[in-house]
Every structure is written in C-alpha cells, then in structure tokens.
Amino acid sequence: MYQNIRFLDEQRLQKSVLPCTPLAVIKILEYLRIYNEIIPYGNRLFGHFITIVNRSEVVGRPLAALLANDGACVYSVDVTGIQQFTRGEGIKNKRHDVIEKKGWTLEDCVPLSDVVISGVPGDSYKFPINLLRDGANFDANVKDKASIYVPSIGKTTIAVLLRNQIRLVENRRDAIWAIDNQHRGTEHFAPHVHIK
C-alpha cells in the first residue's frame, strides 16, 4: 500500500489485500465517480485535491497513501500538523512522497479540496464548515452545502472485509496449486475467478 504494490506475484494474479475502511472509502469514491475511468489505473484521481482529517495508522494514513498512489494530491491533517501525500507534478513518481507542510492549517488546504474526509472519532471536534468549497463532501452538519454526502461507511467496510477474506482464500488456493504444479512438473494452472 505505501509502496504502491498492487500485486503479490510477478504474474500479477494475486492482488494485494488492503485495509478495509480505507478501501471502503475508495470504493465509495469510485461509485460516486470521483475516479476518472478514462485515465489508466493508478492515475484516476489525477487533478483532484483531497483533505483527510485525522492521520490515524488504521484509516487516515493508509487512506492518504492509497489516494495519492491513485494520483490525487492529498492533505493529511492531524494534531501534529499537515502533510501532503503526492506523486509529484504530473504524477511523475511511481509512488507517493510525504511532504511536511510547515505552517499550514486547515485554512490553507480545505479551500483547495474537492473532497474532504473526516475520521475524527468523537463529537467534541467540530469542523469549520465555512472553509468548505461548495460541493465538497463531508459530515452531517454540511448536508446543505455538500453536493454528495455519505454519512458513514460501516456497511461498505464490512463488504470490503468479506472481499478481503475471499481474496485471501483465492491467493492461498492459487499459491498451493502453483506449488503442486511445480512438484508435478506441469504447467497446469487453476482456473481464476477473481472479484473486483
């Protein structure tokens, strides 16, 4: 995920397993057509600016890495400051770099953002909605301002968890069949039925 490795094998048959909640957010963004399907995989968020509030190791940081590796310029906001996850001008790098944005605040990054994602785990934090651009996506207190509002992603996270479990079973099955075929000296491969 952080290295932008999408497959576990050289044949590109075994896809990587990604964290459930960050992947659920990506699947929702794909469904909402934030991703540009005309552009090749890995670059489909090119031209988008995204702010993520809360850089946790479970959701915020992996999500920022995944979105940046898909071409977005991501501002990751936390109590320690703001970091920019980017693949550089014109998405020239294969994987993202992290740049400290010294002196930056929400006032600097949020007005630039097409999408704003909050992962703050409590009601005590109130996001300054006056910073949002018209049409930005955020939480319940901006339903009137957001062009698209997604209140929670719990059910999608559960679906992604099930998807990951299936992917792990497929990867294990394929690895076992590959080992068996090597021992037999044959080139027979197991049929591949993969989910998207």
Side-chain angles (χ1 to χ4, degrees):
M1 162 182 56
Y2 292 111
Q3 303 300 319
N4 201 14
I5 298 171
R6 295 170 187 253
F7 294 91
L8 301 175
D9 61 340
E10 290 179 17
Q11 297 80 17
R12 299 175 59 93
L13 298 173
Q14 295 186 351
K15 290 185 176 181
S16 297
V17 176
L18 300 173
C20 295
T21 302
L23 186 54
V25 171
I26 286 172
K27 292 299 176 186
I28 289 169
L29 293 175
E30 286 175 346
Y31 177 79
L32 297 173
R33 300 199 185 273
I34 304 299
Y35 277 72
N36 185 341
E37 295 176 2
I38 296 171
I39 299 174
Y41 279 107
N43 297 330
R44 291 185 169 184
L45 285 177
F46 178 68
H48 284 283
F49 293 84
I50 300 172
T51 295
I52 301 171
V53 180
N54 188 354
R55 192 168 44 249
S56 69
E57 292 297 326
V58 177
V59 177
R61 186 181 308 271
L63 179 57
L66 290 168
L67 295 172
N69 284 336
D70 280 340
C73 175
V74 181
Y75 298 106
S76 177
V77 179
D78 206 41
V79 293
T80 59
I82 295 177
Q83 294 178 339
Q84 181 184 26
F85 287 61
T86 180
R87 285 181 39 210
E89 288 294 320
I91 52 176
K92 63 182 176 185
N93 300 327
K94 183 176 178 173
R95 69 180 195 95
H96 74 277
D97 291 318
V98 179
I99 302 165
E100 294 290 333
K101 301 300 280 183
K102 295 189 186 312
W104 274 48
T105 65
L106 283 172
E107 288 79 11
D108 297 305
C109 60
V110 173
L112 303 174
S113 298
D114 306 306
V115 177
V116 178
I117 301 165
S118 175
V120 179
D123 292 334
S124 60
Y125 177 77
K126 298 297 180 204
F127 186 85
I129 62 171
N130 61 306
L131 299 177
L132 292 173
R133 289 176 28 189
D134 285 337
N137 304 321
F138 205 70
D139 62 29
N141 63 349
V142 294
K143 277 185 185 179
D144 295 332
K145 191 169 185 178
S147 62
I148 301 171
Y149 166 71
V150 179
S152 70
I153 61 165
K155 291 178 183 175
T156 308
T157 298
I158 292 168
V160 169
L161 173 63
L162 296 172
R163 172 188 182 270
N164 279 349
Q165 289 175 321
I166 291 169
R167 183 160 286 164
L168 287 170
V169 169
E170 288 175 342
N171 285 352
R172 185 168 188 264
R173 178 201 63 200
D174 293 349
I176 289 170
W177 281 341
I179 290 169
D180 285 348
N181 287 333
Q182 283 179 346
H183 289 294
R184 289 189 202 127
T186 63
E187 293 284 330
H188 299 287
F189 291 100
H192 291 282
V193 179
H194 294 284
I195 57 173
K196 257 186 144 178

